[in-house]
Amino acid sequence: MIVGVPKEIKNKENRVSMVVAGVRALNNAGHQVLVQAGAGLGAGITDQEYQAAGATIIEGAKDIFAKADMIVKVKEPLPEEYELLREGQILYTYLHLAADERLTKALLDRKIIGIAYETIQPADRSLPLLAPMSAVAGRMATQIGATYLQKDHGGKGMLLGGVTGVARANVTILGGGVVGVNAAKMAVGLGAKVTILDVNVDRLEYLNDIFGNAIHTLYSNNEQIEKSVIESDLVISAILVPGAKAPKLVTRQMVSRMAPGGVIIDVAVDQGGAVETCRPTSHEHPTYTVDQIIHYAVPNMPGAVPRTSTYALTNVTLRYGLMIANLGWKEAVSRDPALYKGVNIANGKLTYKAVAEDLGLPYEALKI
Ligand SMILES: NC(=O)c1ccc[n+]([C@@H]2O[C@H](COP(=O)([O-])OP(=O)(O)OC[C@H]3O[C@@H](n4cnc5c(N)ncnc54)[C@H](O)[C@@H]3O)[C@@H](O)[C@H]2O)c1
């Protein structure tokens, strides 16, 4: 199979969909990998490194799309890429179709095979191709929160871990899933006083088992959230209600009762945010202030650390990418039920029910 790796063109997107190890693995399996010139630079990978691993470097995206049987990307295609896609071509990437009707219709019209990272789901209902980005965002949340708590960044001028004889900062983490656990690891490591709230009691049990007395766990309800938030120096919102917009758990009134110079990081902003006063921001202008509380709500946090997130992403995408290349998409999908769930579009039909329902478009189960 010919596998194409175009350069990402979304604003400030520096990740790339394949690293040198991926090129080597595909090459060893007898496939040809075409990499667009400069595609890896944002993640610190040069054309020469790709070439040494067996890739062919191609100038411009046009030729890659024209020649490849499978396009491997990070982000969904943008309008200027729609027309480059060809009937029957496999597109393996994050698609997030429910949020983009125009993209969905374009992919249906082009009759491509759209395999979405975010819906590949094994029987345990985990989302293995989403989790690494949550891990990155969770770790960043604490790091960024610690920075904004500094006076020179507008915060109250406090070190997360304090020092001997001086109080540590209070960190509240709403949601103890992948983001929450990773935020907690960093906050505990820096010596903060960490409280995690979740509605899933089994999850709280698990958090207690792994962190022991290094954290406090609380069942998440309005009263506990209020108490914890107003006493916090840093609040990290990390909740997810699958398939739904995030509920506004932190109200404006709670925010106004936090001490001035406190920081809120709403990681869940990509699902609408769990903080009433949060609105999406960007890497260029990441923060704003409400009631003297710094708000950070960037929906694509991992984009700021492309070297880490490129490797975290490709560690989990390569396995399925190789399977598709080795077996062809139909055989791969029929052998692996997790990959079957990844197919959102095939032969001009929308084959992922939740996306079809969200967009009010016809759904047709994938028949292999
Ligand atoms: N901003 C970014 O760049 C970025 C990057 C990655 C993930 N995210 C977002 O971060 C959020 C968390 O992702 P995740 O992978 O950790 O999800 P997850 O499913 O692993 O964890 C979510 C947790 O929230 C808990 N929860 C649900 N309702 C709650 C409530 N009312 N109170 C407290 N806890 C509640 C769940 O029980 C679960 O443990 C998602 O919205 C995701 O889209 C954002």
Side-chain angles (χ1 to χ4, degrees):
M1 192 179 270
I2 302 179
V3 179
V5 178
K7 186 172 166 56
E8 295 298 319
I9 56 172
K10 199 161 184 162
N11 185 29
K12 296 273 173 195
E13 181 53 71
N14 282 301
R15 287 174 292 178
V16 62
S17 63
M18 197 171 300
V19 298
V20 168
V23 171
R24 197 161 282 139
L26 281 160
N27 231 273
N28 288 344
H31 307 290
Q32 192 188 352
V33 184
L34 311 179
V35 177
Q36 186 177 345
L41 289 179
I45 308 167
T46 62
D47 292 349
Q48 291 72 24
E49 287 172 295
Y50 280 125
Q51 245 164 348
T56 307
I57 303 297
I58 306 269
E59 289 294 333
K62 229 174 161 179
D63 278 351
I64 303 234
F65 280 84
K67 288 180 182 148
D69 303 302
M70 171 162 66
I71 295 289
V72 185
K73 274 179 56 61
V74 177
K75 299 303 289 183
E76 74 283 357
L78 295 183
E80 53 266 55
E81 290 167 320
Y82 297 172
E83 64 192 38
L84 302 178
L85 289 160
R86 293 179 291 111
E87 183 169 342
Q89 195 167 41
I90 303 163
L91 174 64
Y92 178 51
T93 188
Y94 284 123
L95 282 174
H96 293 291
L97 294 180
D100 197 337
E101 186 170 350
R102 184 176 170 203
L103 167 68
T104 307
K105 288 189 166 156
L107 299 185
L108 288 169
D109 283 351
R110 310 298 299 180
K111 293 198 169 59
I112 59 113
I113 311 301
I115 303 181
Y117 293 163
E118 72 275 8
T119 64
I120 293 179
Q121 191 176 40
D124 65 2
R125 300 181 60 80
S126 62
L127 298 168
L129 278 63
L130 267 187
M133 293 304 103
S134 286
V136 169
R139 287 174 186 229
M140 286 178 75
T142 302
Q143 196 170 304
I144 290 166
T147 304
Y148 283 109
L149 273 177
Q150 289 177 205
K151 200 77 187 162
D152 54 326
H153 282 87
K156 60 174 71 168
M158 193 176 193
L159 207 50
L160 270 194
V163 286
T164 306
V166 180
R168 301 181 284 156
N170 285 326
V171 176
T172 291
I173 300 173
L174 289 169
V178 182
V179 169
V181 129
N182 280 279
K185 278 184 187 163
M186 298 292 274
V188 167
L190 288 170
K193 263 201 262 175
V194 180
T195 302
I196 309 182
L197 296 99
D198 204 299
V199 284
N200 179 342
V201 179
D202 293 338
R203 190 68 187 175
L204 291 178
E205 183 87 48
Y206 166 77
L207 295 170
N208 254 329
D209 285 346
I210 60 165
F211 286 109
N213 290 333
I215 59 157
H216 305 271
T217 54
L218 288 175
Y219 184 76
S220 175
N221 59 32
N222 188 49
E223 200 187 346
Q224 308 265 45
I225 293 172
E226 176 165 35
K227 203 160 169 285
S228 199
V229 163
I230 63 179
E231 286 170 4
S232 288
D233 304 294
L234 169 62
V235 174
I236 295 173
S237 123
I239 66 152
L240 178 66
V241 181
K245 264 188 107 169
K248 301 289 179 205
L249 301 178
V250 178
T251 62
R252 162 130 211 180
Q253 195 247 358
M254 292 180 202
V255 173
S256 67
R257 291 177 64 197
M258 288 174 70
V263 178
I264 297 178
I265 312 279
D266 197 350
V267 185
V269 65
D270 62 338
Q271 300 295 326
V275 179
E276 203 175 22
T277 44
C278 268
R279 53 174 166 78
T281 59
S282 65
H283 287 297
E284 281 111 330
H285 303 289
T287 62
Y288 61 93
T289 301
V290 176
D291 292 340
Q292 300 182 68
I293 302 299
I294 297 172
H295 290 56
Y296 174 103
V298 175
N300 59 332
M301 294 169 71
V305 289
R307 292 197 187 207
T308 303
S309 28
T310 287
Y311 287 92
L313 178 64
T314 55
N315 282 345
V316 290
T317 54
L318 179 63
R319 170 173 169 241
Y320 292 107
L322 256 176
M323 206 190 286
I324 299 167
N326 288 342
L327 300 171
W329 76 272
K330 281 189 183 164
E331 184 60 25
V333 159
S334 66
R335 284 198 202 179
D336 190 315
L339 191 57
Y340 178 93
K341 288 196 174 168
V343 182
N344 280 219
I345 284 185
N347 311 320
K349 305 279 189 265
L350 204 42
T351 54
Y352 197 82
K353 203 171 185 184
V355 170
E357 281 171 1
D358 276 350
L359 294 175
L361 293 172
Y363 158 74
E364 199 172 305
L366 177 65
K367 289 182 206 78
I368 301 293

